[in-house]
């Protein structure tokens, strides 16, 4: 028996070495952790249970039958994050460059099936070069099986992808169908075709970083939700993110102890809005002063910065935050902001996370580029997302809510449950200047008349009380009471029950 146990220890030791000591050292030289080091850092200490450690590929072509390494380029298993079950797989770049083979795919598929059956989140750590060319269509078939499970799990369990090295070809599509994608700066990149192919086909010379690095995908393409400085920061932030998420679409919201009182008042909010309605302020100040302990996990913070989305807590329970950002483009809605917020709202609705919306929006961004770029359809995505959402929806209008953007931003007309306004709120079809120039076009040449008419318009329409008189605003509240009022509204809505008409699925404008 002793000999058998020693043999097991030997085989486990060989498997844990992956591609060998030299390749592990090379991984560290590049500033990257190994697959198992990443898993150990992500999960609670000692909680990881590995599956399929000894699996090997079955390929025989191109001399592959002579080169077999236990694990076949991916480490799979489950563990816990702060005591909650998580399934995880980590591509091992030291073994065949982390490339996907038929058996490599089968390991991931097995894990996906287990995560779905057990209704627990799954996290993928990517560091791989695509399909294993030596296996041809068998590898492509493996990708297809992984993709199918990404789709079936969507909206049922949270799926998170962390890109920690190369991610090319088929490997980019699985992350693209998950809920969140995070990258590591300077050491990770994502693209369908690499720089060499781009050079051949289009004659463009570009580096891997310029083509698909974290700086590109977190700011321009919106593929990545954030880019972190290194592996350690990325993994620690994933632990933080998971704490905000329910285990599945039928699991209760996580509830953590809070040292913040629900009735806390913050009188600094009374002076947050500048006297000049065209002067910006930072909506993130409002968010951190309102949520539990100022803890806000922002999503896509460097993309479409005119809108802010992310997770926070009230009384220890998760909420999704959506807020116009007056510091950037005056907080207008454009195509990028609409897509960003629309996807976030749909995620929250999938997993029964209440949505708190802070509104200060002067309208949709005008311009030829926006119209030709499909602003109508992209704006409709956010409208659609809010309209179909059945989770608790609480809206606070802090200043401007003009035009169709007022409707879109979780208005009472889109089944907003509790809609508040600050006394500084301005709810109208448009601003006073533009409205007066249209209504009183004949008086444009008379500054005194225009000034009086502008003042009359402001007094009559740029006020929250007009909307309150019609019941579109439930109450005009003091800014310093915002946390208290939102907390009470969330408590009220814990038992909310709303169902949309039965349908196979909706047809959101894509």
């Amino acid at each position: 028996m002793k000999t058998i146990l020693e043999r097991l220890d030997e085989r486990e030791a060989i498997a844990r070495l992956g591609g060998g000591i030299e390749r592990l050292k090379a991984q560290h030289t590049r500033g990257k952790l190994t697959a198992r080091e990443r898993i150990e850092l992500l999960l609670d200490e000692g909680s990881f249970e590995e599956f399929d450690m000894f699996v090997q590929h079955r390929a025989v072509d191109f001399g592959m039958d002579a080169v077999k390494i236990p694990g076949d380029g991916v480490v799979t298993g489950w563990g816990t994050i702060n005591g909650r079950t998580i399934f995880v797989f980590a591509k091992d770049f030291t073994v065949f460059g982390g490339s996907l083979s038929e058996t490599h795919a089968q390991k991931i598929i097995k894990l996906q099936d287990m995560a779905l059956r057990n209704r627990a989140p799954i996290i993928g750590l990517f560091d791989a070069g695509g399909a294993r060319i030596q296996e041809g269509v068998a590898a492509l078939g493996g990708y297809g099986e992984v993709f199918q499970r990404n789709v079936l799990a969507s909206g049922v369990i949270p799926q998170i992808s962390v890109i920690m090295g190369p991610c090319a070809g088929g490997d980019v599509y699985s992350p693209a169908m998950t809920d969140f994608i995070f990258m590591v700066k300077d050491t990770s990149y994502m693209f369908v075709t690499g720089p060499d192919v781009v050079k051949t086909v289009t004659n463009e010379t570009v580096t891997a970083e310029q083509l698909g690095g974290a700086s590109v995908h977190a700011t321009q393409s919106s593929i990545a939700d954030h880019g972190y400085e290194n592996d350690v920061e990325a993994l620690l932030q994933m632990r933080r993110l998971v704490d905000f998420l329910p285990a599945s679409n039928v699991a209760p919201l996580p509830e953590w102890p809070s040292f913040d009182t629900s009735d806390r008042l913050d009188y600094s909010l009374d002076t947050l809005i500048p006297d000049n309605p065209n002067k910006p302020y930072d909506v993130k100040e409002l968010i951190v002063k309102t949520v539990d302990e100022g803890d806000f996990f922002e999503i896509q913070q460097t993309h479409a910065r005119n809108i802010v989305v992310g997770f926070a807590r009230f009384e220890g329970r998760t909420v999704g935050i959506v807020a116009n950002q007056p510091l950037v483009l005056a907080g207008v809605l454009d195509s990028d902001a609409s897509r960003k917020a629309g996807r976030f709202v749909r995620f929250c609705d999938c997993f029964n996370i209440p949505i708190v919306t802070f509104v200060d929006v002067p309208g949709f961004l005008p311009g030829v580029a926006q119209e030709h770029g499909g602003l109508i359809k992209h704006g409709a995505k956010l409208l659609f997302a809010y309209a179909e959402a059945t989770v608790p929806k609480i809206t606070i209008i802090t200043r401007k809510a003009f035009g169709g953007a007022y409707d879109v931003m979780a208005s009472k007309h889109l089944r907003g449950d509790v809609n508040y306004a600050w006394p500084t709120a301005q709810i109208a079809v448009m601003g006073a200047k533009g409205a007066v120039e249209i209504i009183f076009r004949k008086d444009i040449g008379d500054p005194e008349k225009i000034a009086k008419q502008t003042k009359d318009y402001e007094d009559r329409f740029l006020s929250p009380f007009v909307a309150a008189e019609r019941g579109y605003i439930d109450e005009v509240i003091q800014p310093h009471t915002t946390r208290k009022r939102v907390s009470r509204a969330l408590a009220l809505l814990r038992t909310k029950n709303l169902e949309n008409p039965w349908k196979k699925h909706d047809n959101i404008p894509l």
Side-chain angles (χ1 to χ4, degrees):
M1 187 64 181
K2 182 179 179 181
T3 303
I4 294 173
L5 295 177
E6 288 175 349
R7 193 176 305 145
L8 174 61
D9 288 341
E10 289 174 4
R11 294 195 65 168
E12 287 181 344
I14 292 171
R16 289 194 179 96
L17 280 176
I21 294 175
E22 292 304 315
R23 290 184 180 178
L24 295 179
K25 287 181 179 177
Q27 187 82 344
H28 289 155
T29 301
R30 298 186 189 101
K32 302 194 294 184
L33 299 176
T34 66
R36 285 189 168 79
E37 288 171 341
R38 288 166 173 164
I39 290 174
E40 288 173 7
L41 189 57
L42 174 67
L43 300 178
D44 295 339
E45 185 176 0
S47 71
F48 182 56
E49 298 281 347
E50 185 170 349
F51 296 138
D52 298 330
M53 176 184 280
F54 305 116
V55 164
Q56 297 180 352
H57 69 76
R58 296 186 290 270
V60 295
D61 295 319
F62 305 104
M64 290 298 292
D65 54 334
V67 187
K68 295 190 176 185
I69 300 174
D72 203 33
V74 63
V75 181
T76 63
W78 73 279
T80 59
I81 292 180
N82 290 326
R84 302 171 68 218
T85 298
I86 303 291
F87 288 85
V88 61
F89 64 88
K91 302 266 191 168
D92 187 351
F93 192 76
T94 70
V95 178
F96 305 120
S99 59
L100 183 137
S101 67
E102 182 182 16
T103 52
H104 177 122
Q106 287 172 349
K107 290 181 65 173
I108 297 175
I109 292 163
K110 180 178 178 178
L111 195 76
Q112 290 176 302
D113 288 339
M114 293 187 72
L116 195 53
R117 283 197 299 268
N118 290 280
R119 294 296 192 265
I122 184 168
I123 300 177
L125 310 180
F126 288 81
D127 189 357
R132 196 169 302 169
I133 299 172
Q134 295 91 332
E135 295 203 16
V137 72
L140 299 180
Y143 272 132
E145 297 285 350
V146 171
F147 300 158
Q148 178 64 64
R149 284 158 178 80
N150 285 134
V151 173
L152 295 178
S154 181
V156 181
I157 57 174
Q159 301 178 87
I160 300 171
S161 300
V162 190
I163 315 303
M164 312 188 80
C167 190
D171 265 322
V172 301
Y173 288 114
S174 177
M177 289 186 287
T178 60
D179 298 304
F180 300 105
I181 300 175
F182 299 95
M183 298 183 71
V184 179
K185 296 177 182 177
D186 301 322
T187 59
S188 71
Y189 51 81
M190 296 179 74
F191 40 63
V192 177
T193 56
D196 293 340
V197 176
V198 171
K199 173 70 174 175
T200 300
V201 176
T202 69
N203 205 32
E204 296 172 284
T205 301
V206 65
T207 66
E209 180 65 26
Q210 292 168 336
L211 183 62
S215 59
V216 171
H217 287 314
T219 57
Q220 298 178 42
S221 73
S222 81
I223 300 298
D225 293 291
H226 193 63
Y228 293 107
E229 295 298 327
N230 51 57
D231 284 12
V232 174
E233 183 188 9
L235 294 167
L236 293 180
Q237 288 299 318
M238 292 309 99
R239 288 180 59 87
R240 183 174 164 230
L241 172 61
V242 167
D243 282 347
F244 284 101
L245 307 181
S248 72
N249 61 352
V250 294
L253 288 177
E255 192 162 353
W256 299 97
S258 174
F259 302 100
D260 207 346
T261 58
S262 62
D263 59 354
R264 171 173 56 80
L265 306 178
D266 193 322
Y267 287 92
S268 69
L269 294 180
D270 290 345
T271 55
L272 178 66
I273 304 297
D275 292 335
N276 183 343
N278 295 319
K279 187 175 180 180
Y281 62 94
D282 190 354
V283 78
K284 292 182 189 179
E285 181 181 347
L286 167 58
I287 294 170
V288 299
K289 286 182 175 180
T290 304
V291 303
D292 283 2
E293 298 158 353
D295 186 15
F296 178 54
F297 189 99
E298 189 172 354
I299 300 294
Q300 287 198 333
Q301 66 187 67
T302 57
H303 175 71
R305 294 183 300 114
N306 43 319
I307 203 159
V308 175
V309 302
F311 298 106
R313 297 185 184 89
F314 282 86
E315 297 190 273
R317 292 166 59 88
T318 302
V319 299
I321 301 287
V322 180
N324 304 113
Q325 175 57 290
L327 279 181
V328 181
L329 295 175
V332 298
L333 288 174
D334 61 3
S335 295
D336 287 343
S338 299
R339 286 195 304 268
K340 170 182 169 179
R343 177 164 169 78
F344 182 77
V345 167
R346 283 169 65 85
F347 175 85
C348 290
D349 192 46
C350 282
F351 293 98
N352 301 307
I353 298 171
I355 301 167
V356 177
T357 305
F358 294 104
V359 181
D360 186 350
V361 60
F364 284 92
L365 181 64
V368 174
Q370 283 292 312
E371 296 293 352
H372 289 185
L375 176 62
I376 295 171
K377 181 167 284 189
H378 297 308
K381 292 174 184 176
L382 180 56
L383 170 61
F384 196 109
Y386 268 125
E388 73 169 345
T390 60
V391 294
K393 292 182 286 191
I394 299 168
T395 304
I396 304 95
I397 300 175
T398 61
R399 191 167 59 176
K400 298 174 183 176
F402 290 167
Y406 153 73
D407 280 316
V408 170
M409 293 298 294
S411 65
K412 184 66 75 175
H413 322 288
L414 300 185
R415 301 188 299 186
D417 293 296
V418 178
N419 292 63
Y420 292 132
W422 285 6
T424 48
Q426 303 174 351
I427 306 170
V429 174
M430 61 175 62
K433 183 177 182 296
V436 168
E437 287 176 354
I438 292 174
I439 299 171
F440 303 102
R441 186 178 290 109
K442 66 179 186 303
D443 297 328
I444 289 294
D446 190 333
E448 288 187 8
K449 277 189 176 181
I450 291 295
K452 181 181 181 304
Q453 289 155 349
T454 300
K455 179 68 168 57
D456 291 344
Y457 184 91
E458 289 174 347
D459 292 342
R460 178 68 185 92
F461 293 109
L462 295 190
S463 159
F465 297 103
V466 177
E469 288 167 6
R470 293 180 174 270
Y472 300 160
I473 296 296
D474 293 306
E475 191 169 354
V476 180
I477 65 172
Q478 297 287 350
H480 67 262
T481 67
T482 301
R483 172 176 168 80
K484 176 182 177 181
R485 303 306 292 269
V486 171
S487 296
R488 288 176 60 82
L490 287 167
L492 165 70
L493 296 168
R494 284 193 185 188
T495 55
K496 176 185 176 181
N497 183 20
L498 174 64
E499 293 185 0
N500 290 329
W502 184 90
K503 61 185 83 171
K504 185 177 180 181
H505 59 74
D506 52 49
N507 187 23
I508 186 170
L510 294 175

